[in-house]
């Protein structure tokens, strides 16, 4: 068997000849014109056809962009999109012509480069350099004020999706890199229209810049869209949506052919108590929680807490404290103005909630900071050591069915009728067969803190996750301190720094105070 003949290649630097579709050399008639066809929005097949047509007629058409190119031809791209692409290639040579495909087709018909008219030129919206200069942000997210008003949502959505995928693949480092890049864009006062506006900004690595460039040129990120449509990403999203299931467990299930809830139910795999509850109440737990629902749960929790410990205080934390209108769960921080009065509070609160039928699932962890010899500021991990209750809450819906109508007590708290069991559990039904319920399942975390640590706990449980990570990084690298949800420790002076408010913590760290509504990094 004879080996296939290699196609004869012509160097892109050759200027005297071109190669047509048959592989034969064609004399170059216009050596002063070097063309490059931009594939974006044109497509590879059409680009190949048009390139071969140009070479056949004696034009120099480069396969790869180089400094020899004098004319860039594109189809269905704006001047700013092409300029943005060009800037990413060589810093943006002003001498090159940015032309619409119409100039190319007219030149093909004429058999020569036609005169470049205004209608052939891609129109570029000039970027005011003074405006571009406002895109300057500090290195740390905890130094920035980031509200919920995001001027670059398309860009940050793409980066956030890639971050989520990295986290689902248990690649936290890559996930943090994308989160930091998205946080920088969220802090910008205006929409990004060109990569030139991002010069000198921190946390924008090569990968993130490629994603941003793709969105600026095409309106979306091909990588993010491909990730979103991948079967593995979909399976990881579904399986980690089960309360009590992390990326490693989900990946193990996927390796064993489990990609859906139906397959998991049919597999016979043994689930722990949290996973059983998460699977049973999957739809409710994965439905966004509204601020109104969070407030309703807050009233119930406050009633429970004050019933067993008068004078205790309950504070809504997490995204809702930062001003968000929806969330994935609801977090509450509980304390008492008298140090030590909070000890033993959590079991009593949980017992009250269970007796009233509000808990579908709960797991309480005891505090461990009281038993530690190395002090509350030095936990073994970023997780705090407060006494906590991870729960799935049973919240009555506004539209209740008569068969399970909750009755209202005089204190304004709704209680389910005694005909349901104490936890209100329903049999696990398939999604198609599941009947509408007069209640919904909501993820709720309860945390008890002593008053001496309340300011640190409030700061730590307010978020965002990246903002808190950056606060700890700032404390360690810039101030030689250790910050946790329990305390702030000065490593140089070997002592704890007291604080009764978040403002005092920021002051200790040498930072301008950032209110909760501006911590949405």
């Amino acid at each position: 068997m004879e080996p296939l003949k290699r196609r004869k290649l012509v160097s892109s630097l050759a200027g005297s000849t071109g190669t047509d579709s048959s592989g034969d050399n064609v004399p170059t008639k216009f050596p002063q014109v070097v063309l490059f066809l931009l594939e974006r929005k044109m497509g590879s097949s059409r680009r190949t056809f048009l390139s071969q047509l140009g070479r056949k007629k004696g034009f120099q058409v480069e396969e790869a962009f180089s400094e020899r190119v004098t004319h860039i031809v594109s189809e269905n791209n704006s001047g700013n999109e092409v300029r943005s692409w060009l800037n990413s290639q060589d810093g943006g040579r002003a001498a090159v012509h940015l032309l619409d495909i119409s100039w190319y087709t007219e030149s093909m018909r004429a058999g020569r480069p036609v005169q470049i008219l205004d209608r052939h030129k891609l129109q570029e919206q000039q970027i005011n350099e003074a405006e571009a200069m406002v895109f300057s942000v500090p290195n740390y997210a905890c130094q920035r004020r980031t509200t919920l008003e995001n001027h670059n949502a398309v860009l940050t959505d793409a980066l956030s999706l890639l971050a989520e995928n990295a986290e689902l693949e248990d690649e936290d480092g890559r996930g943090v890199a994308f989160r930091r890049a998205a946080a920088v864009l969220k802090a910008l006062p205006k929409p990004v229209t060109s990569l030139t506006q991002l010069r000198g900004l921190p946390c924008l690595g090569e990968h993130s810049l490629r994603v941003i460039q793709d969105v600026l040129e095409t309106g979306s990120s091909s990588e993010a869209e491909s990730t979103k449509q991948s079967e593995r990403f979909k399976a990881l999203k579904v399986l980690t949506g089960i309360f009590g299931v992390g990326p490693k467990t989900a990946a193990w299930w996927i390796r064993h052919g489990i990609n859906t809830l139906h397959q998991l139910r049919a597999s016979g795999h043994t689930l722990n108590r949290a996973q059983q509850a998460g699977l049973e109440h999957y739809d409710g737990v994965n439905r966004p929680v509204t601020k109104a629902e969070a407030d309703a749960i807050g009233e119930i929790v406050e009633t429970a807490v004050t019933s067993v410990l008068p004078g205790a205080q309950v504070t809504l934390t997490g995204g809702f404290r930062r001003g968000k209108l929806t969330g994935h769960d609801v977090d509450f921080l509980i304390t008492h103005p008298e140090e030590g009065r909070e000890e033993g509070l959590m079991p009593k609160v949980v017992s009250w909630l269970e007796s009233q039928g509000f808990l579908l699932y709960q797991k309480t962890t005891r505090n461990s900071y009281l038993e530690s010899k190395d002090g509350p500021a030095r936990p073994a991990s970023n997780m705090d050591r407060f006494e906590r209750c991870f729960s799935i809450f049973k919240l009555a819906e506004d539209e209740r069915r008569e068969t399970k109508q909750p009755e209202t007590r005089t204190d304004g708290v709704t209680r389910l009728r005694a005909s349901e069991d104490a936890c209100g559990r329903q049999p696990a039904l398939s999604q198609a067969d599941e009947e509408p319920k007069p209640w919904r399942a909501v993820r709720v975390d309860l945390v008890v803190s002593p008053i001496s640590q309340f300011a640190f706990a409030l700061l730590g449980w307010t978020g965002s996750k990246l903002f808190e990570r950056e606060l700890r990084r700032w404390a360690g690298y810039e101030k030689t301190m250790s910050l946790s949800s329990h305390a702030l420790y000065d490593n140089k002076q070997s002592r704890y720094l007291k604080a009764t408010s978040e403002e005092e913590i920021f002051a200790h760290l040498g930072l301008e105070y950032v209110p909760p509504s501006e911590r949405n990094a």
Side-chain angles (χ1 to χ4, degrees):
M1 179 177 177
E2 291 187 16
L4 294 174
K5 292 183 179 180
R6 288 188 177 179
R7 179 179 174 183
K8 187 175 182 180
L9 298 178
V10 177
S11 170
S12 63
L13 296 178
S16 59
T17 62
T19 304
D20 67 9
S21 58
S22 65
D24 297 328
N25 289 340
V26 178
T28 296
K29 299 178 181 178
F30 318 105
Q32 76 281 8
V33 177
V34 182
L35 308 178
F36 177 78
L37 303 186
L38 191 62
E39 186 175 316
R40 273 187 197 283
K41 298 188 180 180
M42 182 183 292
S44 59
S45 298
R46 179 165 167 76
R47 179 177 184 264
T48 299
F49 167 76
L50 291 175
S51 297
Q52 291 173 349
L53 177 62
R55 296 188 188 106
K56 201 168 187 178
K57 291 182 176 290
F59 287 82
Q60 292 185 76
V61 184
E62 298 285 270
E63 281 298 320
F65 181 78
S66 72
E67 61 181 12
R68 296 182 64 248
V69 171
T70 60
H71 297 60
I72 296 178
V73 178
S74 71
E75 189 170 29
N76 298 322
N77 289 278
S78 69
N80 287 96
E81 289 173 333
V82 177
R83 178 63 66 183
S84 177
W85 173 86
L86 182 60
N87 287 337
S88 70
Q89 301 299 308
D90 69 346
R93 289 188 291 115
V96 70
H97 296 288
L98 308 184
L99 303 174
D100 182 69
I101 191 68
S102 59
W103 177 87
Y104 189 82
T105 55
E106 289 176 25
S107 297
M108 293 302 103
R109 284 196 296 268
R112 59 176 175 76
V114 299
Q115 181 184 359
I116 298 175
L117 304 176
D118 285 342
R119 60 185 175 84
H120 296 136
K121 299 176 183 178
L122 296 180
Q123 300 302 312
E124 296 182 66
Q125 182 181 0
Q126 295 301 315
I127 298 173
N128 189 319
E129 288 298 327
E131 180 180 339
M133 289 299 292
V134 303
F135 288 177
S136 175
V137 298
N139 289 335
Y140 290 85
C142 57
Q143 295 174 292
R144 311 174 201 140
R145 294 175 177 268
T146 307
T147 66
L148 293 173
E149 185 180 10
N150 184 355
H151 299 285
N152 294 285
V154 177
L155 296 173
T156 59
D157 286 350
L159 292 169
S160 296
L161 186 137
L162 295 177
E164 181 182 17
N165 181 57
E167 292 156 359
L168 290 174
E169 294 289 358
D170 210 23
E171 299 176 356
D172 289 339
R174 198 159 59 92
V176 170
F178 283 127
R179 296 286 182 197
R180 283 180 175 150
V184 168
L185 299 180
K186 287 179 182 178
L188 298 182
K190 294 182 181 180
V192 174
T193 57
S194 169
L195 284 181
T196 58
Q197 295 170 293
L198 304 180
R199 289 175 182 169
L201 293 187
C203 307
L204 297 179
E206 291 184 8
H207 196 158
S208 294
L209 285 173
R210 288 199 302 271
V211 174
I212 295 169
Q213 176 188 329
D214 195 9
V215 175
L216 292 177
E217 292 177 357
T218 68
S220 64
S221 163
S222 56
E223 183 180 0
E225 291 302 316
S226 175
T227 298
K228 190 189 302 182
Q229 298 304 320
S230 74
E231 294 303 319
R232 181 174 175 83
F233 177 76
K234 292 177 183 178
L236 285 169
K237 282 274 288 182
V238 168
L239 296 177
T240 56
I242 302 171
F243 175 58
V245 175
K248 290 183 179 178
T249 299
W252 190 90
W253 285 342
I254 291 172
R255 287 197 300 271
H256 288 77
I258 298 173
N259 296 279
T260 65
L261 300 183
H262 177 74
Q263 290 172 338
L264 179 60
R265 290 187 178 104
S267 69
H269 275 288
T270 302
L271 305 179
N272 62 35
R273 198 167 63 89
Q275 293 165 352
Q276 290 173 5
L279 184 60
E280 182 177 351
H281 304 292
Y282 185 89
D283 290 339
V285 167
N286 284 276
R287 202 170 99 199
V289 186
T290 66
K291 180 60 165 60
E293 289 172 329
D295 289 339
I297 294 173
E299 292 180 9
I300 296 171
V301 171
E302 188 166 359
T303 300
V305 170
T306 55
S307 295
V308 298
L309 182 60
Q313 301 169 355
V314 178
T315 303
L316 178 64
T317 62
F320 291 113
R321 185 168 183 252
R322 303 197 308 272
K324 288 194 171 186
L325 298 179
T326 60
H328 299 295
D329 59 8
V330 192
D331 303 320
F332 295 100
L333 185 59
I334 305 168
T335 191
H336 192 280
E338 297 180 34
E339 185 83 6
R341 289 290 302 276
E342 80 289 342
E343 292 184 24
L345 174 59
M346 186 66 79
K348 297 176 183 177
V349 172
V350 170
S351 178
W352 189 96
L353 291 171
E354 283 186 321
S355 71
Q356 303 301 310
F358 286 118
L359 296 183
L360 298 165
Y361 165 87
Q362 67 85 12
K363 180 181 179 181
T364 302
T365 61
R366 15 178 263 171
N367 59 4
S368 59
Y369 60 85
L370 294 177
E371 303 167 3
S372 177
K373 296 180 181 179
D374 55 0
R378 303 184 180 192
S381 70
N382 288 332
M383 293 293 289
D384 61 53
R385 297 175 287 177
F386 290 119
E387 187 172 31
R388 291 188 288 185
C389 175
F390 301 101
S391 74
I392 299 179
F393 217 85
K394 185 173 188 177
L395 179 65
E397 297 277 17
D398 290 334
E399 296 181 6
R400 306 179 180 94
R401 300 177 67 186
E402 291 183 3
T403 54
K404 294 180 181 179
Q405 179 74 25
E407 55 189 32
T408 302
R409 305 208 315 266
T410 55
D411 58 8
V413 179
T414 56
R415 184 180 187 280
L416 297 169
R417 291 187 184 278
S419 59
E420 298 181 79
D421 68 51
C423 289
R425 296 189 180 277
Q426 298 288 325
L429 302 174
S430 67
Q431 193 170 1
D433 298 331
E434 192 171 356
E435 296 181 0
K437 300 185 182 74
W439 50 267
R440 64 157 298 188
V442 181
R443 277 276 297 108
V444 177
D445 289 342
L446 306 177
V447 182
V448 174
S449 164
I451 193 64
S452 61
Q453 300 177 27
F454 180 77
F456 301 99
L458 182 62
L459 179 61
W461 275 84
T462 294
S464 66
K465 186 176 180 179
L466 180 66
F467 188 91
E468 301 302 326
R469 180 193 292 269
E470 293 288 273
L471 265 178
R472 294 192 297 270
R473 195 163 70 94
W474 168 272
Y477 286 111
E478 305 296 334
K479 292 296 180 179
T480 321
M481 296 179 181
S482 300
L483 175 66
S484 73
S485 293
H486 295 279
L488 179 62
Y489 187 81
D490 189 324
N491 294 303
K492 286 183 177 180
Q493 301 182 34
S494 300
R495 68 185 183 94
Y496 292 109
L497 302 177
K498 294 182 179 180
T500 58
S501 67
E502 290 178 314
E503 289 88 342
E504 288 185 36
I505 300 174
F506 276 81
H508 285 315
L509 292 171
L511 291 169
E512 181 183 353
Y513 177 67
V514 179
S517 62
E518 297 179 341
R519 300 178 199 167
N520 290 285

